[in-house]
Amino acid sequence: DKCEEEIEEVKKAIAKSNDGIGKLKRQISSKIAQLEQLKSRRQEVLEKCELEQIILPKVDPMETESSEHESEFDYSSLDRSYQKTSRPSDREKIETEFRQKMEALVTEIERTAPNLKALDQYEALLEKEREVTEEFEAARREGKEIGDKFNAVRQKRYQLFMDAFEHISRNIDRIYKQLTMSHTHPLGGTAHLTLDNEDEPFLHGIKYTAMPPTKRFRDMEQLSGGEKTVAALALLFSIHSYRPSPFFILDEVDAALDNLNVAKVASFVRSKSCAGARGGGFQSIVISLKDSFYDKAEALVGVYRDSDRSCSRTLTFDLTKYKEA
């Protein structure tokens, strides 16, 4: 009986121990599940830190007693904003916002689908660019040719002008001296032409200066009417010497001249009329009311009024039959 009692007590102790072992096994299983959850959470934290480029401070393995190969981190040295634990509701809210952003980006990518005709349009634009470039090159070559022609014409115009100007400038002083010389003033006056701009003569004027005998230098506007007339005739005859005309018509050019200058101009015109075309001469038709001028002519044509017929009539008189006294 005593042994049976001891056996029952041992059985009760074994049953109690079995109950304790079952309870401990259940606790171990719960802890293992919690550990797996923590490991999963730890992996999520590590992946999030890697995505957000957050560097976690590691702990030297020698300072810890952990025998696992996983790295240990010192979360206490992180910024406080990273150490805050998010509640499940906050995590769900963040996850929802993140998914909404992802869906919006996917929708945007789908909406901005590639244009399959872009390559054809690009080739068409390349062809158009080539055509425009060819037209531009052709226009530039044409512009260059036109510019060269324009410069050639401009240079030719300048050369022709300078040839005429130099010829007239050389002869005007000689002719002016012939028109103004006399027994008392055998050298005559002085006249010359000057360009205001020798490089671009067409952009500025030409200054004509005439200085009669015994007169000081004055502007052309300050000369008397007769002096201006003589200067104008000298310029006219100088231009004629460059490109001779068949004849001149001089309409009362002696109106502002005194008798002495009239005789000088008449003598000059007569000498040119007798010189002939090869000698630089010319024929002249002179309209004058002064006998000292028209008595140097080879022929006279008079115009008078016929009162009976109420019209004008002419008379001619050949002076070549008479020698000068």
Side-chain angles (χ1 to χ4, degrees):
D1 293 336
K2 188 176 179 180
C3 289
E4 287 179 356
E5 288 178 0
E6 292 178 356
I7 291 171
E8 289 295 332
E9 289 178 0
V10 171
K11 287 182 178 178
K12 290 179 181 179
I14 291 172
K16 187 175 180 181
S17 298
N18 289 332
D19 292 338
I21 291 172
K23 186 177 181 180
L24 290 176
K25 286 183 177 180
R26 290 193 296 271
Q27 289 180 358
I28 290 171
S29 299
S30 175
K31 295 298 181 180
I32 290 174
Q34 293 179 3
L35 181 62
E36 293 296 330
Q37 292 179 356
L38 290 175
K39 286 183 178 181
S40 176
R41 176 61 182 161
R42 181 177 185 274
Q43 186 63 29
E44 291 179 359
V45 171
L46 293 177
E47 291 177 355
K48 183 177 180 181
C49 291
E50 185 177 0
L51 289 175
E52 296 182 3
Q53 296 182 354
I54 300 174
I55 300 175
L56 296 176
K58 293 183 179 181
V59 178
D60 189 357
M62 300 299 294
E63 297 179 0
T64 61
E65 298 178 357
S66 178
S67 60
E68 296 181 356
H69 298 288
E70 296 182 354
S71 301
E72 295 292 332
F73 301 101
D74 184 10
Y75 297 102
S76 61
S77 60
L78 284 176
D79 193 345
R80 291 184 178 180
S81 60
Y82 296 142
Q83 296 182 18
K84 294 181 180 178
T85 57
S86 300
R87 293 178 297 177
S89 59
D90 295 337
R91 289 198 298 271
E92 292 177 357
K93 182 178 179 181
I94 293 173
E95 184 178 358
T96 303
E97 292 178 355
F98 181 72
R99 287 185 177 180
Q100 290 177 353
K101 289 181 180 180
M102 285 182 62
E103 292 176 356
L105 291 175
V106 170
T107 304
E108 182 69 18
I109 292 173
E110 292 177 352
R111 186 177 62 84
T112 57
N115 186 6
L116 300 179
K117 296 182 179 180
L119 183 59
D120 297 336
Q121 295 176 357
Y122 176 72
E123 293 177 353
L125 290 175
L126 285 179
E127 181 66 20
K128 186 175 181 180
E129 181 189 10
R130 185 183 62 79
E131 294 176 357
V132 171
T133 302
E134 291 177 355
E135 292 178 359
F136 171 74
E137 293 295 333
R140 187 174 65 177
R141 289 193 297 270
E142 184 179 359
K144 184 177 183 301
E145 292 176 359
I146 294 174
D148 294 340
K149 292 179 181 179
F150 171 77
N151 291 330
V153 172
R154 185 178 182 182
Q155 182 63 28
K156 184 177 179 181
R157 180 187 68 164
Y158 174 80
Q159 191 61 41
L160 291 174
F161 175 83
M162 292 306 297
D163 292 343
F165 176 79
E166 291 174 359
H167 177 86
I168 296 170
S169 182
R170 287 194 304 267
N171 286 273
I172 193 169
D173 185 63
R174 177 179 57 81
I175 295 175
Y176 187 74
K177 289 182 183 297
Q178 294 177 8
L179 292 174
T180 55
M181 67 173 54
S182 62
H183 296 291
T184 57
H185 305 98
L187 297 179
T190 303
H192 60 273
L193 298 174
T194 55
L195 291 172
D196 292 339
N197 188 346
E198 295 183 359
D199 296 329
E200 296 289 342
F202 296 100
L203 299 179
H204 300 81
I206 300 174
K207 187 174 183 60
Y208 179 24
T209 304
M211 188 167 59
T214 69
K215 297 293 183 67
R216 61 184 179 82
F217 173 78
R218 288 185 295 179
D219 291 335
M220 188 64 70
E221 293 79 6
Q222 297 178 356
L223 298 179
S224 63
E227 293 170 344
K228 290 180 180 179
T229 300
V230 175
L233 289 174
L235 179 60
L236 176 65
F237 295 141
S238 300
I239 295 174
H240 169 266
S241 66
Y242 180 69
R243 291 289 177 88
S245 300
F247 60 90
F248 276 120
I249 298 178
L250 304 177
D251 187 6
E252 295 189 12
V253 296
D254 56 353
L257 300 178
D258 55 13
N259 292 330
L260 179 60
N261 285 323
V262 169
K264 293 178 182 178
V265 173
S267 299
F268 180 83
V269 174
R270 178 58 185 269
S271 65
K272 291 297 180 181
S273 298
C274 297
R278 294 184 178 180
F282 51 84
Q283 292 180 329
S284 299
I285 300 174
V286 180
I287 301 172
S288 177
L289 299 177
K290 295 182 179 181
D291 54 358
S292 59
F293 200 128
Y294 60 73
D295 64 2
K296 301 292 191 301
E298 295 179 349
L300 297 179
V301 178
V303 182
Y304 70 97
R305 179 182 180 185
D306 188 349
S307 301
D308 297 335
R309 298 184 179 183
S310 298
C311 64
S312 298
R313 297 179 67 86
T314 59
L315 296 173
T316 59
F317 188 63
D318 187 5
L319 298 180
T320 57
K321 301 177 182 180
Y322 306 93
K323 295 182 179 181
E324 294 185 5

